[in-house]
């Protein structure tokens, strides 16, 4: 795997949009993570059914009402810059599809079952070792039963600055019976 410099964008053309069994055609949206300055005491929650995020008062990584969100991006210490951490919320099925894996709904569904522990995005070595790189995807089986693939198409920042992440989001909704 090649090491990509900060800010590089990868097209999503190599994503197979074939629905997995029991799911409908993919809906396309976008998703992203954008940290607020720690002085604003905010944490971001991301719902992978829609790509929508909301900001709430930061509470050391605690979330009173997840409201359908799968991901939390929060400042771990808020003592300076470069300390935001990303993790899956409890009772969610979220995992990481590495950049060298096939970008299919089936592969994403399987990756969602692997878990996603807290990851300090400012730690470039840790993110690279764990596979959170441009070309990878955060995958989930959502509370609605959808398979979600949040592609990491763009990353900027790191080490001494907070990291922003964005990309396309593909969601295969559970088929109606």
């Amino acid at each position: 795997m090649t090491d990509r410099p900060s800010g590089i964008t990868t097209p999503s053309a190599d994503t197979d949009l074939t629905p997995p069994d029991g799911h409908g055609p993919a809906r396309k949206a976008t998703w992203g993570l954008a940290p607020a300055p720690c002085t604003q005491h905010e944490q971001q929650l991301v719902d992978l059914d829609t790509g929508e995020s909301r900001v709430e008062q930061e509470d050391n990584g605690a979330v009173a009402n997840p409201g359908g969100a799968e991901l939390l991006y929060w400042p771990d210490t808020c003592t300076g810059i470069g300390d935001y951490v990303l993790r899956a919320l409890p009772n969610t099925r979220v995992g990481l599809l590495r950049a060298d894996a096939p970008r299919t709904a089936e592969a994403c569904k399987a990756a969602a079952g692997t878990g996603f522990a807290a990851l300090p995005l400012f730690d470039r070595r840790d993110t690279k070792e764990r596979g959170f790189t441009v070309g990878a995807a955060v995958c989930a089986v959502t509370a609605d039963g959808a398979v979600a693939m949040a592609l990491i198409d763009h990353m900027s920042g790191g080490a001494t600055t907070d990291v922003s992440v964005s990309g396309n989001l593909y969601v295969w909704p559970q088929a109606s019976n």
Side-chain angles (χ1 to χ4, degrees), residues 9-80:
T9 300
T10 297
S12 304
D14 59 344
T15 303
D16 179 353
L17 298 180
T18 304
D21 289 341
H23 291 79
R27 296 186 316 249
K28 183 178 179 184
T30 58
W31 79 289
L33 304 170
C38 277
T39 54
Q40 294 179 9
H41 303 286
E42 294 179 351
Q43 59 189 21
Q44 180 182 14
L45 293 132
V46 180
D47 183 338
L48 293 177
D49 280 304
T50 62
E52 293 178 6
S53 64
R54 73 177 197 278
V55 175
E56 66 178 30
Q57 184 72 24
E58 187 271 325
D59 188 16
N60 294 318
V63 177
N65 179 11
E70 285 81 23
L71 297 174
L72 173 66
Y73 194 43
W74 88 100
D76 186 36
T77 61
C78 226
T79 58

Side-chain angles (χ1 to χ4, degrees), residues 72-173:
L72 173 66
Y73 194 43
W74 88 100
D76 186 36
T77 61
C78 226
T79 58
I81 56 174
D83 68 350
Y84 267 74
V85 177
L86 177 66
R87 72 170 169 86
L89 289 169
N91 303 315
T92 59
R93 289 186 51 202
V94 179
L96 188 65
L97 184 68
R98 297 183 70 93
D100 57 356
R103 292 193 337 184
T104 67
E106 289 293 345
C108 201
K109 185 176 181 180
T114 63
F116 191 89
L119 177 62
L121 292 189
F122 56 87
D123 185 339
R124 289 182 181 163
R125 190 179 85 215
D126 196 16
T127 56
K128 183 177 177 183
E129 286 175 4
R130 289 197 30 204
F132 194 92
T133 60
V134 170
V138 177
C139 294
V141 175
T142 72
D144 294 339
V147 175
M149 181 187 303
L151 299 173
I152 303 168
D153 291 330
H154 182 80
M155 287 179 65
S156 61
T160 59
T161 59
D162 290 314
V163 175
S164 293
V165 179
S166 63
N168 287 316
L169 170 67
Y170 297 99
V171 180
W172 292 268

